[in-house]
Amino acid sequence: GESYWEPEVVNGALRGRSAKWLQEEQERDPLGFMTQWQARPPSAQGAIFRYFPEYEELPEEGEVLQSWDTAFEKGARADYNVCGTWLKARGKVYLIDVFRQKCEFAELEEHGARIAAGAVAQWGHKPFILVENKSSGAALVSKLRQAGFPTKAYNPGESVPYLKGVRRGTPDLVIRAGPVVKFFDSGQVMVPKEWKPWKEPYISELKAFPHGRHDDQVAMTVQLLEWVFHTQPLVLPKYEVTYGRV
């Protein structure tokens, strides 16, 4: 997520745009920032996510992870509740299954326990579950913990080392997506080669992002990859520096 532009040194001192300005510019125009400052221009075919490497068989062993992005409420205009089940093995993550449905919290609680139990039945151990700490996510975390599943209430952006005075909060999803794209490009994120009922909707949503109607599966994926690969939306320097020329 760092800029490709080196700091400019003038008379032995770092000069140019401030780190605060750099953060504000990224929030103002995420796609433009990806082009100018991160040397990753968006594509017309797939604005950010373009490549989806496939696997034919899953590794026999690995760590099972589940990533939840939950909605505020059920309704025609509401977002979807999404859970991705992944296998972490051999330095890669393999997408095994995707649950995507609009439902009330009582139903969501049942689905959460059922999906987690399904992973136990398939792999012989409990999955580690990430749930974004928003909307109905906090309550789902509590229910899953009560059921005995190791669950993390995930707060995007908590570990980003913002400088004093720079606005804190959840980074925009476009900003967060930038640093994780390379894991698709390098083959470290894989989807099944075999047809699955969720596969085409999943890939279609990621390809359409950020111009598509929904981004719940994107959020679920970005969250999982941030956790696995420890990426950050933007690592600001510890000094008031500049990237690029004035």
Side-chain angles (χ1 to χ4, degrees), residues 23 26-27 30 69 72 131-135 153-160 162 166-177 215 219 222-223 226 232-234:
Q23 175 71 27
Q26 186 185 39
E27 293 179 351
D69 182 77
F72 284 95
V131 183
E132 186 169 359
N133 195 20
K134 68 171 188 178
S135 56
Y154 187 74
N155 295 288
E158 267 189 350
S159 60
V160 180
Y162 289 106
V166 176
R167 181 180 65 80
R168 292 180 180 271
T170 301
D172 180 85
L173 188 56
V174 174
I175 297 174
R176 294 170 57 200
D215 60 11
V222 170
Q223 173 176 275
E226 285 176 339
Q232 300 182 53
L234 174 63

Side-chain angles (χ1 to χ4, degrees), residues 30-31 34 41-50 52 69 171-181 184 201-223 226:
L31 295 180
M34 289 179 68
S43 160
Q45 290 77 25
I48 297 176
F49 296 95
R50 311 176 194 180
F52 299 86
D69 182 77
D172 180 85
L173 188 56
V174 174
I175 297 174
R176 294 170 57 200
V180 306
V181 174
F184 281 88
Y202 173 80
I203 292 177
S204 295
E205 182 177 307
L206 266 66
K207 282 186 173 181
F209 180 76
H211 308 298
R213 183 176 179 182
H214 297 285
D215 60 11
D216 316 282
Q217 295 178 100
V218 177
M220 172 276 289
T221 301
V222 170
Q223 173 176 275
E226 285 176 339

Side-chain angles (χ1 to χ4, degrees), residues 49-138:
F49 296 95
R50 311 176 194 180
Y51 305 108
F52 299 86
E54 297 179 334
Y55 65 84
E56 294 188 3
E57 295 183 357
L58 286 168
E60 295 183 358
E61 297 181 349
E63 180 183 6
V64 181
L65 305 171
Q66 292 182 337
S67 177
W68 275 97
D69 182 77
T70 60
F72 284 95
E73 60 185 9
K74 181 178 180 180
R77 296 186 178 182
D79 291 330
Y80 285 90
N81 294 288
V82 172
C83 177
T85 299
W86 303 75
L87 182 69
K88 178 185 175 185
R90 303 174 182 172
K92 300 180 180 182
V93 286
Y94 302 79
L95 184 56
I96 302 172
D97 191 29
V98 175
F99 166 85
R100 181 174 183 259
Q101 186 173 315
K102 296 180 181 181
C103 55
E104 301 292 354
F105 179 70
E107 299 173 87
L108 179 62
E109 177 184 342
E110 293 177 2
H111 288 307
R114 175 183 58 79
I115 294 170
V120 175
Q122 181 178 0
W123 295 94
H125 60 85
K126 295 179 180 179
F128 179 79
I129 306 173
L130 291 172
V131 183
E132 186 169 359
N133 195 20
K134 68 171 188 178
S135 56
S136 56

Side-chain angles (χ1 to χ4, degrees), residues 183-196:
F183 300 115
F184 281 88
D185 298 347
S186 65
Q188 290 175 271
V189 181
M190 307 196 76
V191 299
K193 184 175 183 179
E194 179 185 0
W195 179 87
K196 302 286 185 181

